[in-house]
Amino acid sequence: MGAMSVRTQSSEPSEAIHRAGFACFVGRPNAGKSTLTNALVGQKVAITADQPQTTRHTVRGIVHRPDAQLILVDTPGLHKPRTLLGERLNDVVRTTWAEVDVIGFCLPANEKLGPGDRFIAKELASIKKTPKIAVVTKTDLVDSKTLAEQLIAIDRLGKELGIQWAEIVPVSAVGDKQVQLLADLIIPMLPESPPLYPEGDLTDEPEQVMVAELIREAALEGVRDELPHSIAVVVEEMLPRTDRPADKPLLDIHANVYIERPSQKGIIIGPKGKRLKDVGIKSRRQIEALLGTPVFLDLHVKVAKDWQRDPKQLRKLGF
């Protein structure tokens, strides 16, 4: 699926066109969305303030190029709603999809298309205007025959549901080449616009949101089946340690992991606290990579009774 580019010569020197816009990656859990985001953005994840002209969604990262700025926003996973939270999440998802400039639908090359993919694809089909790219991830795990079969299956799925794929792109986030190609394909679909965010813009508020998200992902790893959505993380405070020399800063982060029922506490903490310790170690590494500074992470598990069904708790927990 090659992309063709046509250059036209103009007689007078024109200002280069700058494009800027929003893309989001969707796909079922483990479809390679965050790996792809990290590969596109590189290690420096810029975290940015909510500015009125931009978006109210969590910014996961920004690809800065001389001629373009691609802002990758997060959408919570789309799932069949069972609770108030589920319905609210699904509304947020649909709104986000209708507001972004491009949607990348991630489908792993090493798994046949399943009901989960079809569920998301059906939802995508109802969003008519936004261009959709099918991104085939994890191509390094399959041979060329399997990959070809997957490309055909995705093409067929689009035809069946009336989705016109703008592109079908195989990528391996392990190899950088195709990831850059993906950015090259998305950028022409963005509107002409000056950069929406200054390069390297950092603020506290969304940093806390991203830190909470990293802790939540680490806490869910391996227990998703038992506690799919019943974990919320709130970063209570993030403060630089005062008695440290300037060249050896330390950031103190105090965070609470909220679960719905006391019985879930043991699952999160694990035998002799081992699981919670692992969650702390893993998320601390990621937070340090994100913020570029050493971190002391203090994690506590608390029970917030049935928070998914209580609008007051939902607001407090940031939903």
Side-chain angles (χ1 to χ4, degrees), residues 222-235:
V223 296
R224 254 172 228 285
D225 299 343
E226 297 161 87
L227 314 171
H229 284 282
S230 36
I231 297 183
V233 175
V234 175
V235 173

Side-chain angles (χ1 to χ4, degrees), residues 56-87:
R56 54 183 190 316
H57 310 294
T58 315
V59 171
R60 279 312 288 263
I62 300 180
V63 180
H64 292 281
R65 292 199 173 183
D67 59 339
Q69 189 178 62
L70 170 60
I71 299 141
L72 301 172
V73 295
D74 215 8
T75 55
L78 187 74
H79 51 88
K80 302 189 170 135
R82 281 196 312 271
T83 58
L84 174 68
L85 172 67
E87 284 176 31

